[in-house]
Amino acid sequence: PFYSDWDDAYCEDLMRRLGIGWNDRIASLSYGNATKLRLILALAHRPDLLLLDEPMAGLDAVSKQEVFQEIFDAVQDENRSVLISSHDLHDLERITDHIGFLNRGRMMLEGPTADIVSRYRLVDSISAETTLGQFAGARIVSRENGRLRILLDISQSPLDTLPGRGIEIVAATPVTLEELFIMLVKEG
């Protein structure tokens, strides 16, 4: 009765798909099944905005896939939004269409997930200069014996500009959201 828009049929369908029985005792549910039950309760009234805090914490790979699928299905009608707060960036990279990085209460970076992932490269290089300074869109991640590892925002400094700065590219690889976050917040 608390939710006037509660959908019994949808709730039953979610319970069936996520393997939660009507006679299961809440106190005896495993951590993963208790998480699934919380998701069922959150989804069954078909909210316009779903706020999830660490929804995948403690779930095994199969349970994560099931929960991802239910969240994904819930937002398919384009009238519903899901805001997820999570430290598990690997999982978020697979399901989000927009992401924001918060560090110490400050938004560091936000935008469409695919754009952010495609915008950065981790460049392994050799540099003749030992005092190479920072330049737009570049952050030196490590430096050792003339070899540099650079996090490069290719929207600000395309790869083809590096040779003109005395940097020989050995490899340039895409980064994951987790790698990007770590490199952006890491000191020094």
Side-chain angles (χ1 to χ4, degrees), residues 173-188:
T173 57
V175 296
T176 65
L177 285 178
E178 187 170 308
E179 291 169 330
L180 179 59
F181 181 79
I182 291 168
M183 286 184 265
L184 289 175
V185 301
K186 202 171 185 180
E187 297 294 325

Side-chain angles (χ1 to χ4, degrees), residues 27-173:
S28 65
L29 291 176
S30 68
Y31 186 84
N33 281 344
T35 298
K36 290 177 186 180
L37 179 60
R38 286 190 292 275
L39 181 66
I40 291 167
L41 295 173
L43 288 172
H45 68 98
R46 299 186 185 272
D48 293 332
L49 176 63
L50 185 61
L51 302 173
L52 300 174
D53 185 20
E54 299 290 352
M56 307 305 163
L59 294 180
D60 62 49
V62 172
S63 295
K64 277 184 185 183
Q65 193 277 329
E66 292 170 342
V67 169
F68 278 142
Q69 189 60 51
E70 294 308 328
I71 294 169
F72 187 73
D73 289 348
V75 297
Q76 285 307 297
D77 65 8
E78 301 281 332
N79 294 324
R80 195 167 286 117
S81 296
V82 178
L83 178 70
I84 300 173
S85 172
S86 180
H87 291 91
D88 193 342
L89 296 174
H90 174 72
D91 287 336
L92 293 181
E93 187 169 353
R94 298 181 337 189
I95 64 168
T96 59
D97 56 9
H98 198 96
I99 196 149
F101 287 164
L102 287 173
N103 184 37
R104 297 181 183 167
R106 194 179 113 248
M107 183 69 73
M108 298 174 46
L109 180 66
E110 66 85 24
T113 306
D115 292 352
I116 288 175
V117 170
S118 66
R119 183 175 137 189
Y120 287 90
R121 294 292 180 277
L122 187 56
V123 178
D124 289 306
S125 62
I126 300 170
S127 173
E129 294 184 49
T130 56
T131 59
L132 180 70
Q134 296 284 66
F135 51 91
R139 179 177 184 140
I140 297 173
V141 177
S142 66
R143 181 190 319 234
E144 187 177 324
N145 299 327
R147 294 185 72 85
L148 296 175
R149 179 164 268 189
I150 302 167
L151 175 64
L152 187 67
D153 179 343
I154 59 175
S155 70
Q156 293 183 38
S157 291
L159 286 167
D160 60 5
T161 64
L162 296 183
R165 299 177 186 275
I167 299 170
E168 178 187 335
I169 299 171
V170 175
T173 57

